[in-house]
Amino acid sequence: MTTTHELRQFYDESYRRATAEGDRHLRWRQLSARGKADHAIELCERAELSPESVAEIGCGDGALLAELGARGLAGELHGFEVSEEAARIARTRGAPGLTGVTVFDGARLPVDDDAFDVALLSHVLEHVPDPAALLREAARVSRAVVLEVPLEANLSARRGSKRSGAAEIGHIQSLDRHGVSALVESAGLSVREELLDPLPVEVHTFFAASGPERARATAKAGIRRALFNVSPRLAERAFTLHYACLCQ
Ligand SMILES: C[S@@+](CC[C@H](N)C(=O)[O-])C[C@H]1O[C@@H](n2cnc3c(N)ncnc32)[C@H](O)[C@@H]1O
């Protein structure tokens, strides 16, 4: 059983390591944030929601808050984090409309019911020992929840090297769509809008260190996109897609 203290230490340490990586890490976070913001904005638009206030639970270093603020998703944004170090970086980074970043215990948010129009859980549930409980807490403090997770219960992610990579960054859940549906249902919510993303070529090639590696990553991205276009279901079983949904 991991204590809140151990959880904090784990994420504090990983944010310190990431900061030491410098510019490359910053660019990676900005690139990832653009895709995640595209998803959150598209889901709100499809559901005809124009939130005035958005809380990001597990906001990390605030890259997504900054992107959402710049793109005007809501007039007020608030971050919640378990890691003091991540919260410090998020406050320093800032975001248009950011009202603050609160450190919490990972279970109970120190705010009233329905305090926000939308709560966002972006790439957080796979890090959490009891994701249904955190989702219920997100639903308690908001009128709609947008969640995004990598669907890692697939053939490619089952390989040993992929599993240890995921464990190293704190993934303790491996979800497929069925698993997400079960979580959503157990939180008393239902999915109103959803989307899948096989990720753009820029994401697949970001860590390529040489010409040949870049060519391989470009080919891989093309194959994945083609399979996804033919059969999203088959693609989901073969490799990791990002899944996002808006629940109420
Ligand atoms: C992969 S990062 C995602 C950061 C950001 N949401 C994004 O999408 O860019 C996962 C974050 O979840 C946080 N986290 C871990 N356990 C959590 C919990 N129980 N409640 C809230 N956040 C948690 C970690 O500290 C980390 O910042």
Side-chain angles (χ1 to χ4, degrees):
M1 177 82 186
T2 311
T3 64
T4 307
H5 177 70
E6 286 165 338
L7 191 72
R8 279 211 171 115
Q9 273 191 326
F10 176 85
Y11 287 104
D12 282 350
E13 191 43 47
S14 67
Y15 280 102
R16 273 189 213 107
R17 267 201 314 272
T19 305
E21 261 192 58
D23 183 53
R24 188 169 80 139
H25 177 74
L26 203 65
R27 284 187 290 111
W28 170 245
R29 295 288 297 137
Q30 283 166 345
L31 175 62
S32 307
R34 280 201 291 278
K36 293 169 183 172
D38 287 343
H39 300 159
I41 291 169
E42 180 178 336
L43 291 169
C44 286
E45 281 175 359
R46 282 204 229 154
E48 298 183 348
L49 289 184
S50 308
E52 283 174 15
S53 57
V54 170
E56 192 192 356
I57 303 166
C59 65
D61 61 8
L64 179 53
L65 284 170
E67 184 68 22
L68 291 172
R71 289 166 66 172
L73 175 65
E76 282 186 14
L77 299 171
H78 198 94
F80 293 94
E81 237 305 318
V82 292
S83 158
E84 299 266 5
E85 178 60 14
R88 185 191 64 74
I89 301 168
R91 289 185 201 110
T92 309
R93 183 196 298 266
L98 187 66
T99 54
V101 180
T102 303
V103 174
F104 82 118
D105 63 4
R108 176 85 185 170
L109 295 162
V111 291
D112 294 337
D113 295 0
D114 287 341
F116 301 97
D117 291 331
V118 170
L120 183 55
L121 280 163
S122 166
H123 294 256
V124 171
L125 293 178
E126 69 275 20
H127 292 259
V128 173
D130 189 350
L134 189 62
L135 189 52
R136 269 195 297 278
E137 181 62 357
R140 180 187 70 77
V141 303
S142 68
R143 281 173 273 278
V145 179
V146 172
L147 71 86
E148 173 161 328
V149 289
L151 298 179
E152 291 182 319
N154 63 66
L155 283 171
S156 169
R158 212 171 285 161
R159 289 173 296 161
S161 60
K162 292 282 179 183
R163 272 199 190 157
S164 55
E168 255 170 50
I169 55 172
H171 290 195
I172 54 177
Q173 311 288 343
S174 172
L175 292 162
D176 56 17
R177 271 217 276 178
H178 182 71
V180 180
S181 298
L183 285 177
V184 167
E185 211 173 291
S186 76
L189 296 166
S190 51
V191 170
R192 214 174 128 188
E193 296 292 341
E194 60 185 353
L195 60 81
L196 282 167
D197 186 353
L199 302 177
V201 66
E202 299 78 35
V203 168
H204 288 287
T205 55
F206 187 86
F207 292 104
S210 62
E213 267 187 41
R214 181 168 297 277
R216 266 199 303 279
T218 304
K220 186 168 120 182
I223 292 165
R224 288 186 171 200
R225 171 74 59 180
L227 178 60
F228 177 76
N229 287 341
V230 172
S231 169
R233 286 285 175 196
L234 209 55
E236 188 186 328
R237 267 181 257 142
F239 56 86
T240 299
L241 301 171
H242 286 187
Y243 170 77
C245 62
L246 185 145
C247 318
Q248 281 182 316

